[in-house]
Amino acid sequence: MSVLRSLLDRVEPHFSKGGRFSRFGALYEIVDTFLYTPGTVTPGAPHVRDAVDMKRSMFTVIIALLPALLFGIYNTGYQADPGAGLLQNMQTGFVAVLPLIAISYIVGGLWEVLFGIVRRHDVNEGFLVTGLLLPLTLPAGIPLWMVALGISFGVVIGKEVTGGTGYNIFNPALVARAFLFFAYPSEMSGDAVWSMADELTRATPLAVASSVSGADGVYLLKEAGYTLQQLVIGRFPGSIGETSKVAVLLGAIVLLVTRIGSWRIMTGGLLGMTAASLIANAMAPSFDNPSLYLTPVHHLLMGSFAFGLVFMATDPVSAAQTDRGRWIYGILIGSLIVMIRVLNQAFPEGVMLSILLANAFSPMIDYFVLRQNIARRQKAYARQ
């Protein structure tokens, strides 16, 4: 390894400022920091105050996403042919899912390198997560050109035009998904997009729970065969990485143990969702909306609530930065998800819009938390 280090050190001056290949310094930085931990500190936000730097943090998030990815691959094959067996399902899933991930990384990576070369800055590590998050939030049968278009929109509009990692207001992966959802709704929603076999088309739990006006959403789920056990395991139609709550829980444990994911945001999201669900349950007898009957457990296990709360809401750039702000931010996301799911029957998911709305409010949340803290200290100082 010392030979490789010596080689990198010898060519570094050519890629540094004033060198013959200085414009391509971003490419050198990719190789160097992938192989070795850099001895420098970040010049701008986000800062990680730990022995683990940003690149290692992003790799940890990738590791946390692996259970959801592997189960998503299996579930994609299972939805195509439930009776084919584990190995055949994994093989079918690999063939369907890996091209989506490859396109996401290749196209998004090209944009990252292009902006790095033009602006003469390092390629941002955050793309390692964005490039994987986007495919995991998509249907397995989505055309590859849409993935390329979506990741391009997410990286360019969602991040680079605002200054790159550390300056983006919104989560780039969610910006990409929102673009695809509103630009190509027929490819992103409806019963037909979640299975690669047309004859096995099946509605998602969220669609079932809101399908019959005047009925009980919990009863509709049981009637359709969606038990709590099945919702936990995740062998039902949905986005690639979002159906298995066991896999999401494993990822959450990794993020919490390594302190990369904020427990305040996750807990706040659960509290906000629970409070809003209980209020909805109290209103249920007075309205004919079936979603009002859904319990907090159902909201937790259905759709992308758990996945979004663990991997999207905890984005260290677009989330609130203060401890109290993280509680407010999480509670806001949890309550908004239930409100959108219950009040808008045409859009029964709500996670994507809730997190994007909370992203927009997070700077203001931090501002008021800091102002309140300053005012409290001023009062305490005045009493001395």
Side-chain angles (χ1 to χ4, degrees):
M1 295 300 287
S2 60
V3 175
L4 183 59
R5 181 68 264 170
S6 298
L7 175 63
L8 289 170
D9 290 340
R10 280 203 302 274
V11 301
E12 182 182 9
H14 298 299
F15 292 93
S16 302
K17 186 176 182 180
R20 286 186 298 170
F21 307 114
S22 61
R23 180 165 290 278
F24 302 100
L27 296 176
Y28 172 84
E29 190 273 342
I30 292 175
V31 177
D32 187 43
T33 57
F34 178 79
L35 295 172
Y36 295 96
T37 301
T40 58
V41 297
T42 54
H47 300 285
V48 178
R49 289 168 290 187
D50 197 281
V52 179
D53 62 9
M54 276 298 296
K55 190 157 289 185
R56 258 42 66 175
S57 298
M58 295 301 105
F59 274 124
T60 304
V61 179
I62 295 293
I63 292 171
L65 283 167
L66 286 180
L69 171 62
L70 292 175
F71 186 87
I73 290 172
Y74 161 72
N75 190 46
T76 298
Y78 180 82
Q79 296 304 319
D81 185 2
L86 175 62
L87 293 179
Q88 183 61 41
N89 287 335
M90 291 296 291
Q91 182 178 345
T92 303
F94 268 115
V95 173
V97 174
L98 289 188
L100 304 182
I101 297 174
I103 288 295
S104 178
Y105 271 127
I106 291 171
V107 176
L110 288 175
W111 282 114
E112 290 276 355
V113 171
L114 179 61
F115 272 88
I117 291 174
V118 172
R119 291 181 171 173
R120 298 178 183 274
H121 65 60
D122 297 341
V123 174
N124 303 131
E125 297 87 350
F127 176 69
L128 295 172
V129 176
T130 303
L132 182 57
L133 275 178
L134 177 62
L136 292 180
T137 63
L138 299 177
I142 190 171
L144 295 178
W145 65 267
M146 284 190 189
V147 180
L149 200 57
I151 194 66
S152 297
F153 190 89
V155 171
V156 176
I157 305 299
K159 185 170 69 172
E160 294 297 344
V161 296
T162 60
T165 298
Y167 298 95
N168 52 293
I169 301 172
F170 301 104
N171 184 308
L174 279 178
V175 172
R177 193 185 191 283
F179 168 76
L180 291 174
F181 182 84
F182 291 109
Y184 308 100
S186 62
E187 301 289 343
M188 295 288 291
S189 59
D191 298 348
V193 304
W194 307 114
S195 174
M196 301 185 69
D198 293 339
E199 64 275 13
L200 296 177
T201 297
R202 186 183 181 195
T204 63
L206 278 170
V208 170
S210 60
S211 59
V212 181
S213 180
D216 183 332
V218 176
Y219 173 77
L220 293 175
L221 286 171
K222 291 180 180 177
E223 195 176 43
Y226 286 122
T227 64
L228 290 179
Q229 182 181 3
Q230 287 176 321
L231 294 177
V232 170
I233 296 173
R235 291 199 305 187
F236 53 82
S239 299
I240 295 171
E242 299 175 348
T243 61
S244 173
K245 303 309 172 292
V246 176
V248 173
L249 177 62
L250 292 174
I253 291 172
V254 172
L255 294 182
L256 291 174
V257 169
T258 56
R259 297 186 177 183
I260 289 176
S262 170
W263 67 270
R264 293 179 176 85
I265 293 176
M266 296 185 198
T267 308
L270 291 174
L271 291 175
M273 179 272 290
T274 301
S277 302
L278 294 177
I279 293 173
N281 293 162
M283 297 167 59
S286 303
F287 299 90
D288 58 0
N289 185 340
S291 299
L292 289 170
Y293 289 93
L294 295 175
T295 67
V297 175
H298 287 94
H299 280 292
L300 172 63
L301 300 180
M302 292 197 306
S304 57
F305 177 87
F307 185 89
L309 189 63
V310 171
F311 297 111
M312 300 284 201
T314 57
D315 176 11
V317 178
S318 56
Q321 304 297 309
T322 58
D323 286 348
R324 192 180 303 169
R326 289 180 176 124
W327 279 106
I328 299 171
Y329 174 81
I331 291 171
L332 180 64
I333 289 175
S335 55
L336 280 175
I337 289 173
V338 176
M339 289 175 63
I340 294 175
R341 282 180 172 180
V342 170
L343 298 179
N344 188 355
Q345 295 293 289
F347 187 62
E349 179 49 271
V351 175
M352 175 182 67
L353 290 182
S354 300
I355 298 177
L356 287 176
L357 282 171
N359 286 165
F361 283 105
S362 63
M364 187 172 67
I365 293 172
D366 283 332
Y367 172 79
F368 282 111
V369 168
L370 290 174
R371 292 303 308 173
Q372 188 181 40
N373 191 36
I374 291 171
R376 187 173 59 252
R377 289 191 174 192
Q378 286 176 333
K379 288 181 180 178
Y381 180 76
R383 287 196 295 266
Q384 290 179 358

